[in-house]
Amino acid sequence: MRIHVLEHDPLENPGLVADWAAARGHRLMSALLDRGGALPPLGEVDLLVIMGGPMNIHQHRDHPWLVAEKAFIADAIAAGKPVLGICLGAQLLADALGGKVFQHSEKEIGWFPIRMLDRAEPFVDFPETLTAMHWHGDTFTLPNGARHVARSEACANQAFVFGDRVVALQFHIEMQALSESDLKAVGSAAVAPGRWVQSREQLMATPADLPVAKAALFALLDKLEAISRS
């Protein structure tokens, strides 16, 4: 299977998605959009994965490639491609499907639990709760027709699924740890104190139950793979 990943920042790489692709023997290719990378031909995409990034989806002046990326995402959805969006990727999917993306009242940065509201396909292998990394200041409204899948205490809309093959996750299920270099790269301003912003020590303390999130992500990707072959 040909997996194409849209990346927007060097720190927001495919992580466990790449591990899953390697374990399953799939081909994974990345378009590094923030570094001038080109979007792939849609006919060569079996699964599209849209990663996170520090920008807002409306920052066309600062990131002009967003315009072409949004059109590409809309075309992928219309073509029936399985799509997974993570963090900024989830916001781009919400926008493409008619939802609204806007600044949340608070930043959510840290290892916080997710509560699943809908564990029907393709989420049947998700537990009722799981811990994941959150790093966002924006949120979105649910597109019409989308199923509301998950929430956290800080953010009501943490995940949705549209149809059977478009999945949006606001949280970083692909991450298993943060490093000191990660925190230095984003800078201290990004982790200024807040009700839902953890300390540097908390951010560096990897939760013990992350293997649960990894297994859930692998199961979700397996289901998207099966859909791509149907």
Side-chain angles (χ1 to χ4, degrees), residues 29-63:
M29 296 146 283
S30 289
L32 311 179
L33 301 182
D34 61 305
R35 285 153 280 179
L39 292 163
L42 191 56
E44 297 180 5
V45 177
D46 297 319
L47 170 62
L48 180 66
V49 180
I50 312 164
M51 299 308 303
M55 63 286 300
N56 180 281
I57 71 156
H58 304 298
Q59 288 183 270
H60 295 174
R61 182 184 63 184
D62 297 328
H63 309 287

PDB file of all heavy atoms in Angstrom, residues 29-63:
ATOM      1  N   MET A  29       5.663   7.639   2.000  1.00  0.00           N
ATOM      2  CA  MET A  29       6.321   8.801   1.399  1.00  0.00           C
ATOM      3  C   MET A  29       5.774  10.067   2.034  1.00  0.00           C
ATOM      4  O   MET A  29       4.592  10.140   2.348  1.00  0.00           O
ATOM      5  CB  MET A  29       6.077   8.827  -0.108  1.00  0.00           C
ATOM      6  CG  MET A  29       6.687   7.631  -0.840  1.00  0.00           C
ATOM      7  SD  MET A  29       5.692   7.098  -2.258  1.00  0.00           S
ATOM      8  CE  MET A  29       4.356   6.210  -1.441  1.00  0.00           C
ATOM      9  N   SER A  30       6.632  11.070   2.215  1.00  0.00           N
ATOM     10  CA  SER A  30       6.223  12.314   2.847  1.00  0.00           C
ATOM     11  C   SER A  30       6.383  13.489   1.894  1.00  0.00           C
ATOM     12  O   SER A  30       7.391  13.590   1.183  1.00  0.00           O
ATOM     13  CB  SER A  30       7.044  12.586   4.109  1.00  0.00           C
ATOM     14  OG  SER A  30       6.697  11.703   5.148  1.00  0.00           O
ATOM     15  N   ALA A  31       5.384  14.371   1.901  1.00  0.00           N
ATOM     16  CA  ALA A  31       5.483  15.660   1.224  1.00  0.00           C
ATOM     17  C   ALA A  31       5.754  16.697   2.298  1.00  0.00           C
ATOM     18  O   ALA A  31       4.892  16.959   3.148  1.00  0.00           O
ATOM     19  CB  ALA A  31       4.188  15.963   0.478  1.00  0.00           C
ATOM     20  N   LEU A  32       6.950  17.276   2.297  1.00  0.00           N
ATOM     21  CA  LEU A  32       7.359  18.247   3.312  1.00  0.00           C
ATOM     22  C   LEU A  32       6.913  19.630   2.845  1.00  0.00           C
ATOM     23  O   LEU A  32       7.684  20.405   2.283  1.00  0.00           O
ATOM     24  CB  LEU A  32       8.863  18.177   3.527  1.00  0.00           C
ATOM     25  CG  LEU A  32       9.443  16.757   3.743  1.00  0.00           C
ATOM     26  CD1 LEU A  32      10.948  16.808   3.933  1.00  0.00           C
ATOM     27  CD2 LEU A  32       8.764  16.077   4.926  1.00  0.00           C
ATOM     28  N   LEU A  33       5.658  19.952   3.072  1.00  0.00           N
ATOM     29  CA  LEU A  33       5.050  21.135   2.479  1.00  0.00           C
ATOM     30  C   LEU A  33       5.690  22.427   2.952  1.00  0.00           C
ATOM     31  O   LEU A  33       5.831  23.378   2.169  1.00  0.00           O
ATOM     32  CB  LEU A  33       3.553  21.142   2.779  1.00  0.00           C
ATOM     33  CG  LEU A  33       2.768  19.925   2.262  1.00  0.00           C
ATOM     34  CD1 LEU A  33       1.291  20.071   2.591  1.00  0.00           C
ATOM     35  CD2 LEU A  33       2.960  19.744   0.758  1.00  0.00           C
ATOM     36  N   ASP A  34       6.090  22.492   4.212  1.00  0.00           N
ATOM     37  CA  ASP A  34       6.709  23.705   4.737  1.00  0.00           C
ATOM     38  C   ASP A  34       8.103  23.928   4.177  1.00  0.00           C
ATOM     39  O   ASP A  34       8.667  25.009   4.324  1.00  0.00           O
ATOM     40  CB  ASP A  34       6.764  23.654   6.260  1.00  0.00           C
ATOM     41  CG  ASP A  34       7.581  22.482   6.772  1.00  0.00           C
ATOM     42  OD1 ASP A  34       7.275  21.338   6.383  1.00  0.00           O
ATOM     43  OD2 ASP A  34       8.534  22.697   7.557  1.00  0.00           O
ATOM     44  N   ARG A  35       8.662  22.921   3.531  1.00  0.00           N
ATOM     45  CA  ARG A  35      10.004  23.027   2.937  1.00  0.00           C
ATOM     46  C   ARG A  35       9.948  22.940   1.423  1.00  0.00           C
ATOM     47  O   ARG A  35      10.914  22.572   0.763  1.00  0.00           O
ATOM     48  CB  ARG A  35      10.905  21.931   3.505  1.00  0.00           C
ATOM     49  CG  ARG A  35      11.375  22.207   4.933  1.00  0.00           C
ATOM     50  CD  ARG A  35      11.674  20.963   5.727  1.00  0.00           C
ATOM     51  NE  ARG A  35      10.454  20.349   6.255  1.00  0.00           N
ATOM     52  CZ  ARG A  35      10.426  19.234   6.967  1.00  0.00           C
ATOM     53  NH1 ARG A  35      11.560  18.615   7.251  1.00  0.00           N
ATOM     54  NH2 ARG A  35       9.287  18.744   7.408  1.00  0.00           N
ATOM     55  N   GLY A  36       8.785  23.258   0.850  1.00  0.00           N
ATOM     56  CA  GLY A  36       8.651  23.314  -0.599  1.00  0.00           C
ATOM     57  C   GLY A  36       8.317  21.997  -1.260  1.00  0.00           C
ATOM     58  O   GLY A  36       8.376  21.884  -2.489  1.00  0.00           O
ATOM     59  N   GLY A  37       7.962  20.977  -0.471  1.00  0.00           N
ATOM     60  CA  GLY A  37       7.622  19.679  -1.040  1.00  0.00           C
ATOM     61  C   GLY A  37       6.354  19.727  -1.872  1.00  0.00           C
ATOM     62  O   GLY A  37       5.459  20.544  -1.628  1.00  0.00           O
ATOM     63  N   ALA A  38       6.293  18.844  -2.869  1.00  0.00           N
ATOM     64  CA  ALA A  38       5.157  18.816  -3.789  1.00  0.00           C
ATOM     65  C   ALA A  38       4.107  17.811  -3.329  1.00  0.00           C
ATOM     66  O   ALA A  38       4.429  16.757  -2.787  1.00  0.00           O
ATOM     67  CB  ALA A  38       5.637  18.457  -5.199  1.00  0.00           C
ATOM     68  N   LEU A  39       2.863  18.153  -3.558  1.00  0.00           N
ATOM     69  CA  LEU A  39       1.778  17.214  -3.287  1.00  0.00           C
ATOM     70  C   LEU A  39       1.845  16.058  -4.269  1.00  0.00           C
ATOM     71  O   LEU A  39       2.207  16.244  -5.439  1.00  0.00           O
ATOM     72  CB  LEU A  39       0.432  17.929  -3.420  1.00  0.00           C
ATOM     73  CG  LEU A  39       0.143  18.985  -2.343  1.00  0.00           C
ATOM     74  CD1 LEU A  39      -0.980  19.907  -2.796  1.00  0.00           C
ATOM     75  CD2 LEU A  39      -0.219  18.313  -1.022  1.00  0.00           C
ATOM     76  N   PRO A  40       1.505  14.849  -3.845  1.00  0.00           N
ATOM     77  CA  PRO A  40       1.595  13.685  -4.742  1.00  0.00           C
ATOM     78  C   PRO A  40       0.416  13.641  -5.708  1.00  0.00           C
ATOM     79  O   PRO A  40      -0.638  14.248  -5.449  1.00  0.00           O
ATOM     80  CB  PRO A  40       1.529  12.506  -3.767  1.00  0.00           C
ATOM     81  CG  PRO A  40       0.676  13.019  -2.650  1.00  0.00           C
ATOM     82  CD  PRO A  40       1.046  14.463  -2.490  1.00  0.00           C
ATOM     83  N   PRO A  41       0.560  12.927  -6.826  1.00  0.00           N
ATOM     84  CA  PRO A  41      -0.608  12.670  -7.677  1.00  0.00           C
ATOM     85  C   PRO A  41      -1.644  11.872  -6.880  1.00  0.00           C
ATOM     86  O   PRO A  41      -1.305  10.881  -6.229  1.00  0.00           O
ATOM     87  CB  PRO A  41      -0.028  11.849  -8.828  1.00  0.00           C
ATOM     88  CG  PRO A  41       1.443  12.124  -8.815  1.00  0.00           C
ATOM     89  CD  PRO A  41       1.791  12.347  -7.378  1.00  0.00           C
ATOM     90  N   LEU A  42      -2.889  12.289  -6.934  1.00  0.00           N
ATOM     91  CA  LEU A  42      -3.918  11.647  -6.119  1.00  0.00           C
ATOM     92  C   LEU A  42      -4.079  10.171  -6.466  1.00  0.00           C
ATOM     93  O   LEU A  42      -4.377   9.345  -5.594  1.00  0.00           O
ATOM     94  CB  LEU A  42      -5.249  12.379  -6.297  1.00  0.00           C
ATOM     95  CG  LEU A  42      -6.370  12.005  -5.326  1.00  0.00           C
ATOM     96  CD1 LEU A  42      -5.937  12.187  -3.881  1.00  0.00           C
ATOM     97  CD2 LEU A  42      -7.609  12.853  -5.618  1.00  0.00           C
ATOM     98  N   GLY A  43      -3.853   9.816  -7.719  1.00  0.00           N
ATOM     99  CA  GLY A  43      -3.982   8.425  -8.136  1.00  0.00           C
ATOM    100  C   GLY A  43      -2.949   7.503  -7.531  1.00  0.00           C
ATOM    101  O   GLY A  43      -3.114   6.276  -7.576  1.00  0.00           O
ATOM    102  N   GLU A  44      -1.893   8.072  -6.945  1.00  0.00           N
ATOM    103  CA  GLU A  44      -0.838   7.269  -6.327  1.00  0.00           C
ATOM    104  C   GLU A  44      -1.005   7.160  -4.812  1.00  0.00           C
ATOM    105  O   GLU A  44      -0.118   6.646  -4.125  1.00  0.00           O
ATOM    106  CB  GLU A  44       0.531   7.868  -6.656  1.00  0.00           C
ATOM    107  CG  GLU A  44       0.861   7.851  -8.146  1.00  0.00           C
ATOM    108  CD  GLU A  44       2.218   8.453  -8.449  1.00  0.00           C
ATOM    109  OE1 GLU A  44       2.944   8.802  -7.489  1.00  0.00           O
ATOM    110  OE2 GLU A  44       2.546   8.599  -9.643  1.00  0.00           O
ATOM    111  N   VAL A  45      -2.138   7.639  -4.289  1.00  0.00           N
ATOM    112  CA  VAL A  45      -2.379   7.647  -2.850  1.00  0.00           C
ATOM    113  C   VAL A  45      -3.385   6.556  -2.495  1.00  0.00           C
ATOM    114  O   VAL A  45      -4.522   6.572  -2.968  1.00  0.00           O
ATOM    115  CB  VAL A  45      -2.915   9.014  -2.381  1.00  0.00           C
ATOM    116  CG1 VAL A  45      -3.225   8.981  -0.887  1.00  0.00           C
ATOM    117  CG2 VAL A  45      -1.921  10.124  -2.713  1.00  0.00           C
ATOM    118  N   ASP A  46      -2.971   5.613  -1.656  1.00  0.00           N
ATOM    119  CA  ASP A  46      -3.896   4.607  -1.121  1.00  0.00           C
ATOM    120  C   ASP A  46      -4.403   4.999   0.260  1.00  0.00           C
ATOM    121  O   ASP A  46      -5.532   4.674   0.628  1.00  0.00           O
ATOM    122  CB  ASP A  46      -3.206   3.240  -1.049  1.00  0.00           C
ATOM    123  CG  ASP A  46      -2.794   2.729  -2.418  1.00  0.00           C
ATOM    124  OD1 ASP A  46      -3.586   2.881  -3.365  1.00  0.00           O
ATOM    125  OD2 ASP A  46      -1.676   2.192  -2.541  1.00  0.00           O
ATOM    126  N   LEU A  47      -3.554   5.679   1.040  1.00  0.00           N
ATOM    127  CA  LEU A  47      -3.932   6.191   2.358  1.00  0.00           C
ATOM    128  C   LEU A  47      -3.237   7.531   2.535  1.00  0.00           C
ATOM    129  O   LEU A  47      -2.023   7.637   2.350  1.00  0.00           O
ATOM    130  CB  LEU A  47      -3.498   5.231   3.468  1.00  0.00           C
ATOM    131  CG  LEU A  47      -3.612   5.737   4.906  1.00  0.00           C
ATOM    132  CD1 LEU A  47      -5.051   6.053   5.276  1.00  0.00           C
ATOM    133  CD2 LEU A  47      -3.022   4.723   5.891  1.00  0.00           C
ATOM    134  N   LEU A  48      -4.015   8.555   2.890  1.00  0.00           N
ATOM    135  CA  LEU A  48      -3.464   9.891   3.115  1.00  0.00           C
ATOM    136  C   LEU A  48      -3.442  10.164   4.610  1.00  0.00           C
ATOM    137  O   LEU A  48      -4.450   9.983   5.300  1.00  0.00           O
ATOM    138  CB  LEU A  48      -4.323  10.944   2.406  1.00  0.00           C
ATOM    139  CG  LEU A  48      -3.870  12.401   2.556  1.00  0.00           C
ATOM    140  CD1 LEU A  48      -2.516  12.619   1.874  1.00  0.00           C
ATOM    141  CD2 LEU A  48      -4.925  13.358   1.981  1.00  0.00           C
ATOM    142  N   VAL A  49      -2.280  10.612   5.112  1.00  0.00           N
ATOM    143  CA  VAL A  49      -2.119  10.969   6.519  1.00  0.00           C
ATOM    144  C   VAL A  49      -1.675  12.426   6.576  1.00  0.00           C
ATOM    145  O   VAL A  49      -0.687  12.808   5.946  1.00  0.00           O
ATOM    146  CB  VAL A  49      -1.097  10.069   7.230  1.00  0.00           C
ATOM    147  CG1 VAL A  49      -0.958  10.471   8.694  1.00  0.00           C
ATOM    148  CG2 VAL A  49      -1.503   8.600   7.118  1.00  0.00           C
ATOM    149  N   ILE A  50      -2.408  13.245   7.342  1.00  0.00           N
ATOM    150  CA  ILE A  50      -2.129  14.672   7.433  1.00  0.00           C
ATOM    151  C   ILE A  50      -1.650  14.971   8.843  1.00  0.00           C
ATOM    152  O   ILE A  50      -2.379  14.773   9.810  1.00  0.00           O
ATOM    153  CB  ILE A  50      -3.387  15.505   7.113  1.00  0.00           C
ATOM    154  CG1 ILE A  50      -4.050  15.014   5.833  1.00  0.00           C
ATOM    155  CG2 ILE A  50      -3.026  16.984   6.993  1.00  0.00           C
ATOM    156  CD1 ILE A  50      -5.477  15.508   5.665  1.00  0.00           C
ATOM    157  N   MET A  51      -0.426  15.451   8.968  1.00  0.00           N
ATOM    158  CA  MET A  51       0.189  15.632  10.279  1.00  0.00           C
ATOM    159  C   MET A  51      -0.117  17.003  10.865  1.00  0.00           C
ATOM    160  O   MET A  51      -0.832  17.810  10.277  1.00  0.00           O
ATOM    161  CB  MET A  51       1.702  15.430  10.170  1.00  0.00           C
ATOM    162  CG  MET A  51       2.120  14.040   9.695  1.00  0.00           C
ATOM    163  SD  MET A  51       1.378  12.680  10.635  1.00  0.00           S
ATOM    164  CE  MET A  51       1.925  13.076  12.293  1.00  0.00           C
ATOM    165  N   GLY A  52       0.456  17.265  12.038  1.00  0.00           N
ATOM    166  CA  GLY A  52       0.248  18.521  12.741  1.00  0.00           C
ATOM    167  C   GLY A  52       1.220  19.600  12.302  1.00  0.00           C
ATOM    168  O   GLY A  52       2.032  19.419  11.388  1.00  0.00           O
ATOM    169  N   GLY A  53       1.114  20.736  12.971  1.00  0.00           N
ATOM    170  CA  GLY A  53       1.982  21.870  12.682  1.00  0.00           C
ATOM    171  C   GLY A  53       1.606  23.042  13.566  1.00  0.00           C
ATOM    172  O   GLY A  53       0.487  23.107  14.081  1.00  0.00           O
ATOM    173  N   PRO A  54       2.518  24.005  13.738  1.00  0.00           N
ATOM    174  CA  PRO A  54       2.264  25.122  14.654  1.00  0.00           C
ATOM    175  C   PRO A  54       1.387  26.219  14.072  1.00  0.00           C
ATOM    176  O   PRO A  54       0.951  27.122  14.794  1.00  0.00           O
ATOM    177  CB  PRO A  54       3.673  25.652  14.939  1.00  0.00           C
ATOM    178  CG  PRO A  54       4.430  25.354  13.673  1.00  0.00           C
ATOM    179  CD  PRO A  54       3.878  24.028  13.197  1.00  0.00           C
ATOM    180  N   MET A  55       1.112  26.164  12.786  1.00  0.00           N
ATOM    181  CA  MET A  55       0.360  27.236  12.151  1.00  0.00           C
ATOM    182  C   MET A  55      -1.151  27.051  12.306  1.00  0.00           C
ATOM    183  O   MET A  55      -1.633  25.974  12.643  1.00  0.00           O
ATOM    184  CB  MET A  55       0.717  27.324  10.653  1.00  0.00           C
ATOM    185  CG  MET A  55       0.369  26.100   9.822  1.00  0.00           C
ATOM    186  SD  MET A  55       1.487  24.685  10.106  1.00  0.00           S
ATOM    187  CE  MET A  55       3.079  25.373   9.623  1.00  0.00           C
ATOM    188  N   ASN A  56      -1.886  28.130  12.060  1.00  0.00           N
ATOM    189  CA  ASN A  56      -3.342  28.080  11.975  1.00  0.00           C
ATOM    190  C   ASN A  56      -3.716  27.760  10.535  1.00  0.00           C
ATOM    191  O   ASN A  56      -3.003  28.140   9.599  1.00  0.00           O
ATOM    192  CB  ASN A  56      -3.917  29.440  12.398  1.00  0.00           C
ATOM    193  CG  ASN A  56      -5.425  29.500  12.335  1.00  0.00           C
ATOM    194  OD1 ASN A  56      -6.007  29.663  11.267  1.00  0.00           O
ATOM    195  ND2 ASN A  56      -6.069  29.375  13.479  1.00  0.00           N
ATOM    196  N   ILE A  57      -4.830  27.088  10.331  1.00  0.00           N
ATOM    197  CA  ILE A  57      -5.191  26.692   8.968  1.00  0.00           C
ATOM    198  C   ILE A  57      -5.537  27.882   8.078  1.00  0.00           C
ATOM    199  O   ILE A  57      -5.598  27.741   6.859  1.00  0.00           O
ATOM    200  CB  ILE A  57      -6.357  25.690   8.953  1.00  0.00           C
ATOM    201  CG1 ILE A  57      -7.667  26.382   9.348  1.00  0.00           C
ATOM    202  CG2 ILE A  57      -6.086  24.492   9.841  1.00  0.00           C
ATOM    203  CD1 ILE A  57      -8.884  25.665   8.830  1.00  0.00           C
ATOM    204  N   HIS A  58      -5.747  29.059   8.682  1.00  0.00           N
ATOM    205  CA  HIS A  58      -6.126  30.239   7.899  1.00  0.00           C
ATOM    206  C   HIS A  58      -4.930  31.125   7.545  1.00  0.00           C
ATOM    207  O   HIS A  58      -5.114  32.165   6.910  1.00  0.00           O
ATOM    208  CB  HIS A  58      -7.152  31.068   8.683  1.00  0.00           C
ATOM    209  CG  HIS A  58      -8.372  30.295   9.084  1.00  0.00           C
ATOM    210  ND1 HIS A  58      -9.232  29.732   8.163  1.00  0.00           N
ATOM    211  CD2 HIS A  58      -8.869  29.987  10.312  1.00  0.00           C
ATOM    212  CE1 HIS A  58     -10.218  29.116   8.800  1.00  0.00           C
ATOM    213  NE2 HIS A  58     -10.013  29.243  10.097  1.00  0.00           N
ATOM    214  N   GLN A  59      -3.718  30.725   7.910  1.00  0.00           N
ATOM    215  CA  GLN A  59      -2.536  31.560   7.683  1.00  0.00           C
ATOM    216  C   GLN A  59      -2.009  31.411   6.252  1.00  0.00           C
ATOM    217  O   GLN A  59      -0.852  31.043   6.027  1.00  0.00           O
ATOM    218  CB  GLN A  59      -1.443  31.218   8.688  1.00  0.00           C
ATOM    219  CG  GLN A  59      -1.732  31.699  10.103  1.00  0.00           C
ATOM    220  CD  GLN A  59      -0.585  31.385  11.036  1.00  0.00           C
ATOM    221  OE1 GLN A  59      -0.542  30.319  11.649  1.00  0.00           O
ATOM    222  NE2 GLN A  59       0.356  32.303  11.149  1.00  0.00           N
ATOM    223  N   HIS A  60      -2.825  31.743   5.282  1.00  0.00           N
ATOM    224  CA  HIS A  60      -2.435  31.577   3.875  1.00  0.00           C
ATOM    225  C   HIS A  60      -1.283  32.508   3.492  1.00  0.00           C
ATOM    226  O   HIS A  60      -0.446  32.139   2.666  1.00  0.00           O
ATOM    227  CB  HIS A  60      -3.630  31.842   2.961  1.00  0.00           C
ATOM    228  CG  HIS A  60      -4.735  30.845   3.137  1.00  0.00           C
ATOM    229  ND1 HIS A  60      -5.942  30.968   2.496  1.00  0.00           N
ATOM    230  CD2 HIS A  60      -4.822  29.706   3.869  1.00  0.00           C
ATOM    231  CE1 HIS A  60      -6.732  29.961   2.823  1.00  0.00           C
ATOM    232  NE2 HIS A  60      -6.065  29.185   3.661  1.00  0.00           N
ATOM    233  N   ARG A  61      -1.261  33.713   4.057  1.00  0.00           N
ATOM    234  CA  ARG A  61      -0.205  34.658   3.685  1.00  0.00           C
ATOM    235  C   ARG A  61       1.162  34.135   4.118  1.00  0.00           C
ATOM    236  O   ARG A  61       2.137  34.196   3.354  1.00  0.00           O
ATOM    237  CB  ARG A  61      -0.472  36.026   4.321  1.00  0.00           C
ATOM    238  CG  ARG A  61       0.566  37.100   3.941  1.00  0.00           C
ATOM    239  CD  ARG A  61       0.296  38.395   4.670  1.00  0.00           C
ATOM    240  NE  ARG A  61       0.435  38.209   6.118  1.00  0.00           N
ATOM    241  CZ  ARG A  61       0.169  39.165   7.009  1.00  0.00           C
ATOM    242  NH1 ARG A  61      -0.285  40.346   6.603  1.00  0.00           N
ATOM    243  NH2 ARG A  61       0.328  38.931   8.299  1.00  0.00           N
ATOM    244  N   ASP A  62       1.243  33.602   5.336  1.00  0.00           N
ATOM    245  CA  ASP A  62       2.518  33.117   5.852  1.00  0.00           C
ATOM    246  C   ASP A  62       2.875  31.739   5.313  1.00  0.00           C
ATOM    247  O   ASP A  62       4.058  31.386   5.222  1.00  0.00           O
ATOM    248  CB  ASP A  62       2.478  33.060   7.385  1.00  0.00           C
ATOM    249  CG  ASP A  62       2.297  34.431   8.016  1.00  0.00           C
ATOM    250  OD1 ASP A  62       2.790  35.419   7.434  1.00  0.00           O
ATOM    251  OD2 ASP A  62       1.657  34.507   9.077  1.00  0.00           O
ATOM    252  N   HIS A  63       1.848  30.951   4.965  1.00  0.00           N
ATOM    253  CA  HIS A  63       2.065  29.583   4.496  1.00  0.00           C
ATOM    254  C   HIS A  63       1.197  29.353   3.251  1.00  0.00           C
ATOM    255  O   HIS A  63       0.165  28.676   3.316  1.00  0.00           O
ATOM    256  CB  HIS A  63       1.698  28.578   5.597  1.00  0.00           C
ATOM    257  CG  HIS A  63       2.349  28.866   6.913  1.00  0.00           C
ATOM    258  ND1 HIS A  63       3.694  28.650   7.150  1.00  0.00           N
ATOM    259  CD2 HIS A  63       1.850  29.387   8.066  1.00  0.00           C
ATOM    260  CE1 HIS A  63       3.988  29.005   8.394  1.00  0.00           C
ATOM    261  NE2 HIS A  63       2.885  29.461   8.962  1.00  0.00           N
TER     262      HIS A  63
END
